Amino acid sequence: MTSKRPQNVAIIMDGNGRWAVRRGLPRVAGHKKGAQRVREIVSACPDLDVTTLTLYAFSTENWKRPVIEVAALMRLFRIYIRMEAAALEQNGVRVRFIGERSALAPDIQAMMRGLEARTADNDVLTLQIALNYGGRDEIVRAAQRIAADVTNGDMTIEQITQDSFAAALDTGEIEDPELVIRTSGEYRTSNFLPWQAAYAEYAFIPECWPDFTAAIFGQLLDEFGTRERRFGAVEAQGGKV
């Protein structure tokens, strides 16, 4: 049994639209509230011993949403990067984006690159934002990169291992998450970090993302410490095997 909080956490930030609809508000109001919640949770991470946080902001499937809602989300991404860049830099947050960038507007891509460069040397918290991200898509793109390396003679088939494949993923050198949290009462992983979260613990909670507070976050991190992580092993009499 472990007694410490996880340092590497990933969150599926679900329920913004439903949160708004339940209050008679337009769905975009929920997304705005959700963006405010991101600020709170990111700020709380150092005090909660979290050193890597990955947030599922926009999936490859989210393009299927109404055009108006997608446009509103893209505006929010622009606003978030513009408004939060200075604070993220000053607070020692290193920002990385994962996902397929080519489908995003050129100005958003430029803002992403700029924020990554601006915060590259920070080391208090690594914040990974999954934007236009899909786990299956990521795995296919990694396989394509490796296939190209083999074709070009830069890698042999024998050099394709779990470690080399993991290095070709968007997450690259980042360690795998220990805990994955999904808000809003849904019990799905929704194509989020399927390779990286193979041995992660999961927490599915009823609160929608706009209601997810730092206090709830801390409770989930503490609860993680009561779990027994065996990684395929079994517990035998007199000790673990």
Side-chain angles (χ1 to χ4, degrees), residues 39-61:
R39 183 185 304 118
E40 176 186 344
I41 297 304
V42 169
S43 297
C45 281
D47 289 337
L48 294 174
D49 303 323
V50 173
T51 57
T52 302
L53 178 67
T54 304
L55 300 177
Y56 204 5
F58 190 86
S59 76
T60 50
E61 290 75 27

Side-chain angles (χ1 to χ4, degrees), residues 40-111:
E40 176 186 344
I41 297 304
V42 169
S43 297
C45 281
D47 289 337
L48 294 174
D49 303 323
V50 173
T51 57
T52 302
L53 178 67
T54 304
L55 300 177
Y56 204 5
F58 190 86
S59 76
T60 50
E61 290 75 27
N62 285 156
W63 295 106
K64 301 174 185 177
R65 294 186 176 187
V67 174
I68 293 177
E69 183 172 349
V70 171
L73 284 167
M74 294 301 155
R75 284 195 297 272
L76 279 175
F77 295 147
R78 292 180 175 94
I79 292 170
Y80 179 84
I81 293 174
R82 186 165 55 248
M83 298 290 290
E84 300 297 324
L88 291 167
E89 181 181 20
Q90 293 167 7
N91 292 329
V93 180
R94 175 194 176 198
V95 180
R96 300 179 75 252
F97 290 93
I98 61 174
E100 176 52 66
R101 304 186 186 199
S102 62
L104 299 169
D107 67 309
I108 293 180
Q109 294 183 48
M111 294 174 76

